[in-house]
Amino acid sequence: GDSVTQMEGPVTLSEEAFLTINCTYTATGYPSLFWYVQYPGEGLQLLLKATKADDKGSNKGFEATYRKETTSFHLEKGSVQVSDSAVYFCAFLYNFNKFYFGSGTKLNVKP
Amino acid sequence: DVKVTQSSRYLVKRTGEKVFLECVQDMDHENMFWYRQDPGLGLRLIYFSYDVKMKEKGDIPEGYSVSREKKERFSLILESASTNQTSMYLCASRLGQATNEKLFFGSGTQLSVL
């Protein structure tokens, strides 16, 4: 069935390191893809999105490219900061209001 | 910006109690959602509503009901709380159903059922 698979955490990095969080999806057709971020004690907020194949979403130095061939939407950032410590959720939207979320990846960035 | 407000940040209830979780959004959004968030399982959809008095079951509706009497308010009801309903509950809203429209989330209610 439809689902999202993202890499398990926690991921621990030093400040200024390169970040990749892998995400793949299983869906019929071509859904819209999203990354949401949840900072400690807060609800989820949209980080970036892509609505069609080869689109690149970007925000706050984070990027992800919609790869139809590999059904992937990996999140990357060239240089992480302590303030990026959060839980990151990959998601896709399929069939109007039905969002599918991954299990979340916790990122810890150490100074 | 859109604000989604959940009435309680933390709630402790006893097994068998009837529990109400309230959610209010201030931007006239048509669609509202209730998710539960559990470690390792991500977010799972309980119910959503696309209009006043309209509701649709999500993936895990058992043990829950919802009410949407006004457009801005969406309530989640646990008819008889059980310990396996201990979880973080997240409310969200969305303006319409276009594919590029995002969800706006509240900050969550951590419910403990003892």
Side-chain angles (χ1 to χ4, degrees):
Chain A
D2 298 328
S3 65
V4 178
T5 303
Q6 61 180 104
M7 62 188 287
E8 287 189 26
V11 174
T12 301
L13 296 172
S14 298
E15 208 165 22
E16 299 184 3
F18 184 84
L19 168 72
T20 300
I21 301 178
N22 291 336
C23 170
T24 57
Y25 66 90
T26 301
T28 307
Y30 304 110
S32 295
L33 304 176
F34 303 81
W35 277 100
Y36 280 83
V37 58
Q38 185 179 33
Y39 297 104
E42 299 182 13
L44 280 72
Q45 55 185 275
L46 180 68
L47 180 60
L48 53 83
K49 65 183 179 185
T51 56
K52 60 183 189 295
D54 300 324
D55 265 4
K56 177 185 281 189
S58 61
N59 186 25
K60 298 182 181 179
F62 291 89
E63 291 183 342
T65 300
Y66 190 158
R67 302 285 187 200
K68 185 177 68 174
E69 320 77 40
T70 54
T71 62
S72 64
F73 193 52
H74 305 321
L75 183 69
E76 297 182 335
K77 186 174 186 182
S79 176
V80 293
Q81 306 300 311
V82 172
S83 57
D84 294 326
S85 297
V87 182
Y88 292 82
F89 292 89
C90 184
F92 71 81
L93 172 62
Y94 182 64
N95 198 18
F96 301 109
N97 264 326
K98 191 73 185 288
F99 281 81
Y100 290 84
F101 285 88
S103 56
T105 302
K106 186 172 185 179
L107 171 65
N108 296 315
V109 180
K110 299 191 171 182
Chain B
D1 209 1
V2 175
K3 191 161 186 184
V4 179
T5 304
Q6 295 183 232
S7 54
S8 304
R9 183 73 180 96
Y10 298 97
L11 215 50
V12 179
K13 296 293 181 180
R14 297 221 173 266
T15 303
E17 276 192 79
K18 190 169 186 175
V19 181
F20 293 86
L21 302 183
E22 306 287 346
C23 176
V24 177
Q25 50 94 4
D26 66 357
M27 281 301 288
D28 206 34
H29 283 180
E30 295 177 2
N31 306 285
M32 296 188 75
F33 306 78
W34 276 106
Y35 291 89
R36 64 177 281 176
Q37 181 182 7
D38 299 289
L41 297 178
L43 275 68
R44 293 179 291 167
L45 180 64
I46 305 171
Y47 268 98
F48 70 95
S49 168
Y50 53 90
D51 201 350
V52 175
K53 297 191 187 295
M54 306 304 290
K55 62 185 179 185
E56 292 275 350
K57 292 181 180 179
D59 299 315
I60 52 165
E62 297 77 20
Y64 303 94
S65 62
V66 290
S67 172
R68 193 162 179 206
E69 296 296 319
K70 294 184 177 180
K71 193 173 187 179
E72 68 270 18
R73 186 180 296 271
F74 191 36
S75 303
L76 180 69
I77 303 155
L78 287 66
E79 296 289 343
S80 177
S82 63
T83 54
N84 63 11
Q85 292 178 310
T86 291
S87 185
M88 171 68 81
Y89 289 87
L90 294 173
C91 176
S93 73
R94 188 166 181 246
L95 176 61
Q97 297 186 4
T99 55
N100 62 346
E101 284 181 27
K102 65 182 183 181
L103 287 167
F104 291 86
F105 283 87
S107 54
T109 295
Q110 179 64 54
L111 173 67
S112 297
V113 182
L114 307 178

